[in-house]
Amino acid sequence: MSLKISSALISVYYKDGLEPLVRLLHQQNVKLYSTGGTQAFIEQLGIPVTAVEDLTGYPSIFGGRVKTLHPAVMGGILYRRNMPEDLAQAERHRIPPIDLVIVDLYPFEETVASGASDEDIIEKIDIGGISLIRAAAKNYNDVLIVSSRSQYAGVVDLLTEKSGTTELADRRRYAGEAFAVTSHYDTAIQAYFAGEQPQGTGYEGIIYDFKSLPANHLRYGENPHQQASFYGDLDAMFDKLHGKELSYNNLVDVDACVGLIDEFPATNDLAAFAIIKHTNACGIATAPTAKEAYLNALACDPVSAFGGVVITNVPVDLGTAEELNKLFMEILIAPDYAPEALQLLKSKKNRILLKRNPVDLPPVMFKTILNGVLEQDKDNVAETASQFKTVTDKAPTDSEVRALEFALKVCKHTKSNTIVLAKEGQLLASGVGQTSRVDALRQAIEKAHSFGFDLKGSVMASDAFFPFPDCVEIADKAGITAVVQPGGSIRDQDSIDYCNQHGLAMVTTGVRHFKH
């Protein structure tokens, strides 16, 4: 059932992103009602708006605790347009219809997280807003409810495409999201009164309530025929400085980027750059400067880097930006950008530039399979030299140990079966997602050679043990001199014996890093 929007009630706490939607509604001749700060915001845009007080005949009272809880407002939202008796009552009591409700909620969780007083927290328990959302969602047959600022862009697209009308399926979808918002909000309040931390983007919020997190409707999923949404607070995670909207595949790659770069915390003397393609690193390097780290990362596989996602753990300066600007990339992520670097990088219209904010990530991950959901702890184990057990006659040199640590970090974030070839501070090549570890090694060797790397003196990391000595034999013939692997095969000794006979160093960790 298609309905034309003729009137809208707008009353929001956050005004960012609201202007395009308000202007579109004005262009489509929608009558606007509003309150307080939102009314002032609309008036500053030069757009006519009717105060809710003029509709109800009552001012905002009790310090703003009661503004919209009035039959003229609630009735305008809730009366059923297909029922003659409701229509008659609306006409008799002079209650105008409200076809669109744009309302968000007081920032209760943010107020709790800020360490505010109990009095301030209680005042951030929304009453009118949540009532408006529930009323509009209940009457989705006749009303469209917009319950989060994350929905504004999607609503603009919807109303532009459909010339100010909505279909029943549209209204029902937004109603479902609205009830998710109210459910999450009430759960956070209950948790506060129970003495618990409110749910958010952490463990409990994702397990029990992820659909009540802000919803970002994506253009499509992995492929154009698949619908997709992201539930979470991207605005907390990143400041989007430039470029087009993030897609499903973008977000998957961004997640892979963040996981990998977090293995390389920034230090005063070491910068890191990683280039991701389809969740696997096609280049990663550390170096004393950002520019050197980027160029070394790019050298790993400049072909795959085309159209990739790039991330660094240090601010981007102009010299580094000049090199980055030569590459076609989908996304660049950094903790900050020099003003002149940002100006240069913005020269490509669609390039997405993200400034990463310090946000604690949840310790668990989920995956839907069959008719249920898998949950597991994130793989937060990162073995260093102290966990290495030398199992060969020859021990790795200090430089090889550092290269093995580096290779293991990359290996852990690469699809199984995987082999990673590296030297200290630079990925040389990797074999990813192969059905055979031998195939993964051969793929890595071939890639390294194709980009001009001499593997003599390099190291090899494997995400799982070697069931046969074939991998160490192939590695030896390619010039690799040190190996790290979990160990644990009943035939470990075969690989160890080969290494001893041919002068290779091997260490084991006892930790496997499959990534499916």
Side-chain angles (χ1 to χ4, degrees), residues 52-63:
V52 165
E53 294 176 1
D54 295 337
L55 176 63
T56 64
Y58 273 86
S60 172
I61 57 177
F62 309 130

Side-chain angles (χ1 to χ4, degrees), residues 286-447:
T286 59
T289 68
K291 180 177 177 179
E292 185 181 354
Y294 167 67
L295 290 174
N296 288 345
L298 180 63
C300 298
D301 185 348
V303 174
S304 295
F306 183 87
V309 179
V310 182
I311 189 167
T312 181
N313 63 354
V314 293
V316 175
D317 56 55
L318 179 59
T320 308
E322 288 171 342
E323 295 297 335
L324 284 161
N325 201 47
K326 298 173 185 177
L327 176 69
F328 169 70
M329 68 184 82
E330 287 278 342
I331 305 169
L332 175 61
I333 309 165
D336 207 351
Y337 300 83
E340 60 274 18
L342 186 60
Q343 183 179 0
L344 174 62
L345 292 166
K346 284 183 174 180
S347 63
K348 302 293 173 65
K349 183 175 104 173
N350 289 327
R351 177 186 288 154
I352 300 169
L353 301 176
L354 301 178
K355 178 183 174 183
R356 185 180 174 189
N357 300 318
V359 172
D360 291 332
L361 299 177
V364 294
M365 56 194 302
F366 304 89
K367 184 176 184 179
T368 57
I369 66 160
L370 304 175
N371 62 343
V373 178
L374 285 172
E375 173 195 349
Q376 68 169 347
D377 295 336
K378 284 187 176 176
D379 184 359
N380 290 321
V381 176
E383 309 91 274
T384 59
S386 61
Q387 285 87 46
F388 289 175
K389 178 184 177 183
T390 301
V391 293
T392 50
D393 297 337
K394 181 181 179 182
T397 65
D398 290 345
S399 178
E400 286 173 334
V401 166
R402 290 189 291 271
L404 290 169
E405 289 178 323
F406 179 94
L408 264 183
K409 291 177 179 180
V410 180
C411 192
K412 171 181 156 183
H413 293 272
T414 307
K415 293 287 186 182
S416 299
N417 285 324
T418 184
I419 292 289
V420 169
L421 307 181
K423 63 181 181 181
E424 186 177 345
Q426 186 180 25
L427 172 68
L428 302 181
S430 57
V432 304
Q434 299 301 305
T435 53
S436 156
R437 203 160 303 280
V438 170
D439 287 344
L441 174 55
R442 286 176 173 155
Q443 180 191 53
I445 292 171
E446 182 179 344
K447 282 194 71 174

Side-chain angles (χ1 to χ4, degrees), residues 137-197:
K138 177 176 180 176
N139 199 27
Y140 72 86
N141 195 65
D142 301 304
V143 180
L144 175 67
I145 173 62
V146 179
S147 54
S148 169
R149 55 181 164 163
S150 66
Q151 298 171 333
Y152 293 167
V155 174
V156 167
D157 291 343
L158 174 69
L159 298 183
T160 300
E161 178 185 345
K162 297 185 178 181
S163 302
T165 64
T166 62
E167 305 298 329
L168 182 63
D170 301 322
R171 300 190 296 276
R172 184 180 176 93
R173 174 165 63 86
Y174 277 94
E177 292 177 9
F179 283 122
V181 168
T182 61
S183 173
H184 177 78
Y185 196 76
D186 285 339
T187 302
I189 295 171
Q190 184 275 328
Y192 173 74
F193 277 90
E196 302 168 6
Q197 290 297 314

